[in-house]
Amino acid sequence: MSDESAPPPRHRVSGWLTRQRLGVAAGAAALLLIAAGGVYLGTGTPQPEPSNAANALENQSSPAGQPAPPGVAASTPAAPSASTTPSTGATPSTAAAPRVPATGWVPVDRAAWKAQADAYRALTIDPVPSGVGNLPEFRADCQYSHRLPDDPIVAPGLPGASHMHSFVGNKAVDANTVAGDLTKFTATSCKPAQDHSAYWVPTLYDNATGKPVETTGFRVYYRSLAKNSTGQMPMPNGLRMISGDAKKKKPTPRGATGQFYCAFYGPGDLDGIARSTNGNWPICGGDATLHFMMQFPDCWDGKHLDSPNHKDHVAYGSGNSCPRSHPVRIPAITFDIQYPAKGTPAGYYLSSDKEGKSASSMHGDAFVMWDVDTMNKRTRNCVQGRRTCDNYGYQR
């Protein structure tokens, strides 16, 4: 992205969409197309007009409680888990396979989390320049990095065991990547450079040619979904999360939730001016191109960086609160993805569902790793302080 200070127009459109879908206050002037127990350390403008864009973001919800981790006691040692130790070798391709806890429950490093939480609480909110908005969020703007049939969250240490994924962020990620590698190999396709995280989604393919269609913009928001920031805490490093369901095989016709949609400035149709022959993919008119959005949970159990299904250690809050089982309020990650494609009658398919050729298996993975001071400062100023921030701080 050539202009580091200004958000890409198409992303600004879909960022507005997310706030509308999730009920977060937003101001929008332009007419748009898509018009705790254990380790828990937490402390206790006008709305835009309604839009049918709500259907583009699948409704995410979580039960009030989550299953308790089997065999994990509250007295888990403070030493870092083996999966957070950098794998050996000069490059990721030669790295030794990491040891992964047999149960899939990865305990947080208590000492590291306590140090981060203490430093966060000691921070004061920086003075806010005039003209800064009141959307409680900050972001990382990323570009496509690489493509591999790997998944270090779902299939760690097993190169080639996954369907094809398109990675953004940390450029060294492969099947053998563990948390420590993200700080050892820090080259990234994201801005700011202090974001060492890795983010990935199934690769999109043109059904007519079989060629991959890689993203031209991948914005990662960290934001509050609640109306206040009571108890807001930063992200713990090493947190792994998955949004969506790679095994879901349902049609995504016009108006369906969880579909790709068309976005750009100006009047138009979210669902496209036409549909692919199978009805699962929009064909965009004018300057609009294909986009996708997905929302991750905003509540954490305060104890584990991962769980056997990569979801049970986190949960979606309700209203202004988190469930008792997941009492730590963390920034909610939102993927806002732009593709350089307008849609065709032949449509597309995801690597996670080549046969069904629908968008329902779209999913995303986040392996979080930030410079701790930057994460703390952004969360305090932007999410806790409920101010609009870009890649580098307050957005003016």
Side-chain angles (χ1 to χ4, degrees):
M1 301 184 179
S2 58
D3 186 347
E4 297 184 359
S5 61
R10 291 188 178 106
H11 279 116
R12 193 181 304 143
V13 171
S14 44
W16 180 91
L17 164 66
T18 306
R19 292 186 289 273
Q20 164 64 19
R21 174 67 183 88
L22 296 170
V24 178
L31 176 62
L32 308 179
L33 172 63
I34 57 170
V39 190
Y40 168 47
L41 296 170
T43 61
T45 58
Q47 293 279 1
E49 291 298 317
S51 164
N52 68 340
N55 290 329
L57 188 64
E58 187 157 19
N59 184 31
Q60 303 282 5
S61 61
S62 175
Q66 296 284 344
V72 179
S75 59
T76 303
S81 163
S83 64
T84 64
T85 303
S87 53
T88 59
T91 64
S93 61
T94 61
R99 292 177 295 161
V100 178
T103 63
W105 291 96
V106 179
V108 69
D109 179 340
R110 289 189 174 192
W113 172 237
K114 183 179 186 303
Q116 180 180 359
D118 288 346
Y120 174 76
R121 292 195 190 94
L123 289 174
T124 57
I125 295 176
D126 290 336
V128 181
S130 62
V132 174
N134 61 355
L135 300 175
E137 64 186 28
F138 62 96
R139 67 178 188 245
D141 282 321
C142 307
Q143 295 289 343
Y144 168 72
S145 173
H146 59 284
R147 184 171 58 247
L148 285 172
D150 292 354
D151 192 324
I153 293 180
V154 176
L158 298 173
S162 173
H163 50 256
M164 193 64 73
H165 281 116
S166 296
F167 291 81
V168 306
N170 196 295
K171 294 183 178 181
V173 173
D174 62 14
N176 291 326
T177 297
V178 295
D181 294 327
L182 298 178
T183 57
K184 183 177 179 182
F185 307 103
T186 58
T188 181
S189 66
C190 292
K191 298 174 182 178
Q194 292 89 345
D195 181 5
H196 311 312
S197 308
Y199 313 102
W200 60 95
V201 293
T203 301
L204 180 69
Y205 289 89
D206 187 311
N207 191 44
T209 65
K211 294 182 178 180
V213 182
E214 296 297 356
T215 66
T216 51
F218 197 115
R219 176 166 285 179
V220 182
Y221 286 101
Y222 289 75
R223 52 168 48 123
S224 171
L225 305 181
K227 294 181 180 179
N228 63 58
S229 296
T230 302
Q232 182 68 56
M233 296 297 289
M235 283 284 196
N237 269 341
L239 188 67
R240 293 86 142 159
M241 293 188 290
I242 292 178
S243 177
D245 183 357
K247 297 180 180 180
K248 190 174 182 179
K249 316 291 183 186
K250 293 185 177 180
T252 47
R254 175 182 290 273
T257 60
Q259 67 163 319
F260 282 66
Y261 64 95
C262 300
F264 200 73
Y265 285 112
D269 191 339
L270 165 75
D271 294 317
I273 57 174
R275 304 292 288 186
S276 59
T277 301
N278 67 6
N280 290 328
W281 303 88
I283 297 175
C284 303
D287 293 324
T289 59
L290 293 181
H291 284 244
F292 195 91
M293 301 189 72
M294 67 182 71
Q295 181 71 64
F296 288 74
D298 58 343
C299 299
W300 175 46
D301 70 2
K303 303 175 184 179
H304 304 96
L305 298 175
D306 201 0
S307 52
N309 65 0
H310 317 294
K311 292 186 176 183
D312 285 344
H313 60 301
V314 289
Y316 293 92
S318 177
N320 292 320
S321 64
C322 287
R324 292 182 184 178
S325 57
H326 298 74
V328 185
R329 181 183 291 185
I330 56 175
I333 290 178
T334 300
F335 285 177
D336 179 357
I337 312 169
Q338 173 186 329
Y339 291 88
K342 297 181 64 63
T344 68
Y348 303 86
Y349 64 87
L350 294 166
S351 59
S352 47
D353 186 17
K354 183 176 181 179
E355 294 75 23
K357 296 179 172 55
S358 83
S360 62
S361 68
M362 185 62 165
H363 58 283
D365 299 54
F367 200 153
V368 178
M369 184 65 65
W370 278 70
D371 170 79
V372 173
D373 291 342
T374 303
M375 168 56 70
N376 280 359
K377 178 63 75 173
R378 294 283 195 278
T379 305
R380 178 63 88 183
N381 283 346
C382 312
V383 185
Q384 179 79 41
R386 307 194 72 80
R387 293 293 181 175
T388 308
C389 296
D390 56 21
N391 311 66
Y392 304 104
Y394 291 129
Q395 180 178 321
R396 308 188 190 192

